[in-house]
Amino acid sequence: MAIKPQSNKIGQLRKDAISVLGAVVLAMAFMGPATSVFFNTQPAASGAGYALPFALLLAIVVAALVASAIGAFAQKIPTAGFAYTFNTHGFGKRGGFLSGWILVFAYAMVGPMLLAAIGELTAQFFQTQWNLAIPWWAITIIFAVIVWGIGVLGVSRSATTALIFLALEVGVMLALFGTILGKGGAQGISLAPFNPANASGGISGLGIGMLWGIMFFVGFESAGTLGEETQNARRSIPIALFTAVGIIGTFYVLSSWAATLGFGQSHMNAFVADGTPWMTLTQKFWGSGLIWLVSLTVLSSIFANLVSGINATVRVLFAMGREGILPRSLSQTTVHGNPVVAHSAYMLLALVLALLGGLLWTPLGAYGFFGSILGLGIVITYILINLALISFYWRKYREEFSIVRHGILPVLASLIMLLPIYGQLWPIPAYPNNLVPYLMLLWIACGVIYLVFIARRRPELLDAMGRAMSEEAAPVEEHTKVTAS
């Protein structure tokens, strides 16, 4: 593929590339339903205990409140920049920059986290099923190349791929949940898991459960990055957000209910100690002959998660590159509106981090480490979006300001999300996850230093922030578009 620059005012994404269904599918696939259930159920249960379904219900409430805030922004500012652009209009240039800075750090963890996991789990699958010993890192490289190729083909191809794998993972896992609940679990059907008093770790335990519960939902907000490529975006993006939260949220509550009942209240210590509780449940309720099916389902989920998650990350990089906050080359697109430079650069970075993290902490250790950064960064981003919404509507759309939707609900959501932050900070997690808060503070400090540099040396970048992604202003300077031949 040769890249030929053409004169163009600004790199542009392809308008109307996907329908509202495509936005829903990409958001749900980014959530990685089977991946989240497989990896996050056990650590969530380590805090919430038998009250895990209650923690998931709290997470649904938080996700719905955040969806309301993102949807309210998207109705006014269809954008690829998501929190970066939204918070620029809500907090001003400096607040928007720091929001985008945190979001980039959080989303940057998606690729390395999932590439490390899919390499290791695929290697285990080959070893178990066919006694083939293939290094995890070789498989990780192969998947990185495949995902890169799909992304280069465009967002519509990514949505189609995600839909196929999403249907497979949800179908298989729902069948397993149905079997467990249909057989009454280990001790009969009970609503006791929805009682917060059954949280083994008390308030802190619910905080940990809720943190991982929010990790279940990470990705639904990615519909907010598709504002420039979705048909009738002002209407479609809010629909996509609430649809993703509603459908997959119900899926998650069913999964946690099935898991807690499947082990039983008297065996929650065994649940928490089990590194692969869903394999244990599969063997118990389906028999060992179908363990391969659940393993393949998880791999399908990770792949769909990779495709959709990297699409969202790339669009944030594209938006910040388009305004010059990051290198402007990241805003280059093909004639079909695909951000090929941002996609290629990010895939290379993700692959390097996945391989390095896997070598330092094992592939699944890297998944946990990068995932913890993602979770903390996304929770902070959610809080900032909610607070920015209050300012945005009060200052710019006061006649539409609703004291409930634009005032009370954002504050309530922000307060609730302090709980998972507390759960991640205390008790202090084991190495290397104990480094996550310090890395986040270091990243924010670097952002502040960079912001001071921009304000003093390149103030025109601050003046232009937030304008390129909105329809209310023209781009400030010329950029480059690329064509593929």
Side-chain angles (χ1 to χ4, degrees):
M1 183 179 71
I3 297 193
K4 301 177 181 179
Q6 288 185 336
S7 176
N8 189 60
K9 284 188 175 181
I10 197 163
Q12 294 179 343
L13 300 173
R14 182 183 174 189
K15 290 184 65 63
D16 299 332
I18 56 174
S19 64
V20 64
L21 176 61
V24 170
V25 167
L26 284 172
M28 291 196 300
F30 191 173
M31 294 165 78
T35 306
S36 296
V37 165
F38 190 84
F39 285 108
N40 298 344
T41 299
Q42 187 270 342
S46 69
Y50 201 55
L52 177 62
F54 179 78
L56 264 294
L57 283 177
L58 286 179
I60 288 180
V61 171
V62 171
L65 292 174
V66 175
S68 176
I70 297 173
F73 266 121
Q75 287 174 334
K76 302 299 182 184
I77 316 170
T79 176
F82 181 45
Y84 163 60
T85 308
F86 294 162
N87 292 357
T88 295
H89 287 266
F91 289 140
K93 311 298 184 181
R94 288 166 175 80
F97 169 85
L98 290 176
S99 297
W101 189 255
I102 294 170
L103 180 65
V104 163
F105 189 45
Y107 267 13
M109 300 299 110
V110 172
M113 175 181 76
L114 296 175
L115 282 172
I118 200 170
E120 173 66 12
L121 293 178
T122 304
Q124 291 180 9
F125 185 79
F126 285 156
Q127 181 69 52
T128 302
Q129 297 299 317
W130 300 297
N131 200 30
L132 292 176
I134 303 176
W136 71 269
W137 54 265
I139 298 173
T140 289
I141 293 173
I142 292 171
F143 271 110
V145 173
I146 293 172
V147 173
W148 173 83
I150 293 172
V152 166
L153 293 175
V155 69
S156 59
R157 190 65 56 87
S158 296
T160 301
T161 303
L163 176 60
I164 295 171
F165 286 92
L166 181 67
L168 290 173
E169 64 176 292
V170 170
V172 171
M173 295 305 291
L174 281 177
L176 178 57
F177 305 159
T179 301
I180 296 171
L181 295 173
K183 293 183 177 180
Q187 300 170 316
I189 296 296
S190 169
L191 295 178
F194 294 95
N195 184 350
N198 288 319
S200 57
I203 296 296
S204 179
L206 280 177
I208 294 172
M210 191 177 163
L211 170 67
W212 284 97
I214 291 175
M215 281 292 291
F216 276 75
F217 284 89
V218 166
F220 86 90
E221 77 288 338
S222 65
T225 69
L226 301 171
E228 297 176 44
E229 299 167 279
T230 305
Q231 299 165 9
N232 191 14
R234 296 180 189 275
R235 176 176 178 273
S236 297
I237 297 304
I239 291 175
L241 289 163
F242 284 105
T243 301
V245 169
I247 293 176
I248 303 301
T250 302
F251 175 90
Y252 287 154
V253 171
L254 284 174
S255 77
S256 60
W257 195 29
T260 50
L261 292 183
F263 274 85
Q265 188 169 9
S266 60
H267 292 87
M268 286 308 295
N269 288 335
F271 183 179
V272 171
D274 194 329
T276 55
W278 286 104
M279 293 306 183
T280 302
L281 289 169
T282 300
Q283 184 167 1
K284 181 177 180 180
F285 290 92
W286 272 1
S288 58
L290 287 179
I291 287 180
W292 68 269
L293 179 59
V294 175
S295 298
L296 196 59
T297 299
V298 173
L299 292 176
S300 298
S301 176
I302 296 175
F303 184 73
N305 198 345
L306 260 173
V307 171
S308 53
I310 286 173
N311 262 282
T313 303
V314 165
R315 273 141 188 84
V316 174
L317 293 174
F318 164 85
M320 297 186 75
R322 183 165 56 179
E323 294 198 348
I325 300 301
L326 295 179
R328 290 194 185 277
S329 58
L330 296 175
S331 68
Q332 293 178 350
T333 59
T334 67
V335 291
H336 299 295
N338 301 329
V340 63
V341 175
H343 186 77
S344 300
Y346 176 66
M347 285 305 305
L348 180 60
L349 173 66
L351 178 58
V352 170
L353 289 177
L355 296 176
L356 182 61
L359 292 173
L360 288 175
W361 307 304
T362 76
L364 296 184
Y367 174 90
F369 175 71
F370 293 131
S372 295
I373 295 176
L374 171 63
L376 180 59
I378 287 297
V379 170
I380 294 173
T381 300
Y382 287 167
I383 292 174
L384 292 175
I385 288 176
N386 274 279
L387 297 179
L389 180 72
I390 301 172
S391 172
F392 176 69
Y393 267 81
W394 181 256
R395 291 189 299 106
K396 296 191 175 184
Y397 297 95
R398 189 168 303 184
E399 70 283 358
E400 300 179 30
F401 186 86
S402 165
I403 190 64
V404 175
R405 186 181 183 189
H406 306 131
I408 295 174
L409 292 183
V411 171
L412 178 62
S414 300
L415 291 174
I416 293 175
M417 282 184 286
L418 294 177
L419 185 61
I421 292 178
Y422 170 75
Q424 186 165 10
L425 297 176
W426 188 262
I428 299 173
Y431 175 85
N433 292 356
N434 62 327
L435 301 177
V436 169
Y438 303 104
L439 289 175
M440 182 62 69
L441 289 175
L442 178 62
W443 178 258
I444 293 173
C446 291
V448 171
I449 293 171
Y450 184 34
L451 178 60
V452 171
F453 170 80
I454 291 175
R456 292 181 178 178
R457 306 293 289 272
R458 302 193 65 188
E460 71 279 2
L461 293 182
L462 280 180
D463 292 338
M465 277 181 57
R467 295 201 298 173
M469 275 74 72
S470 71
E471 298 175 350
E472 60 194 41
V476 176
E477 61 180 82
E478 292 198 350
H479 294 247
T480 305
K481 178 182 267 191
V482 298
T483 61
S485 61

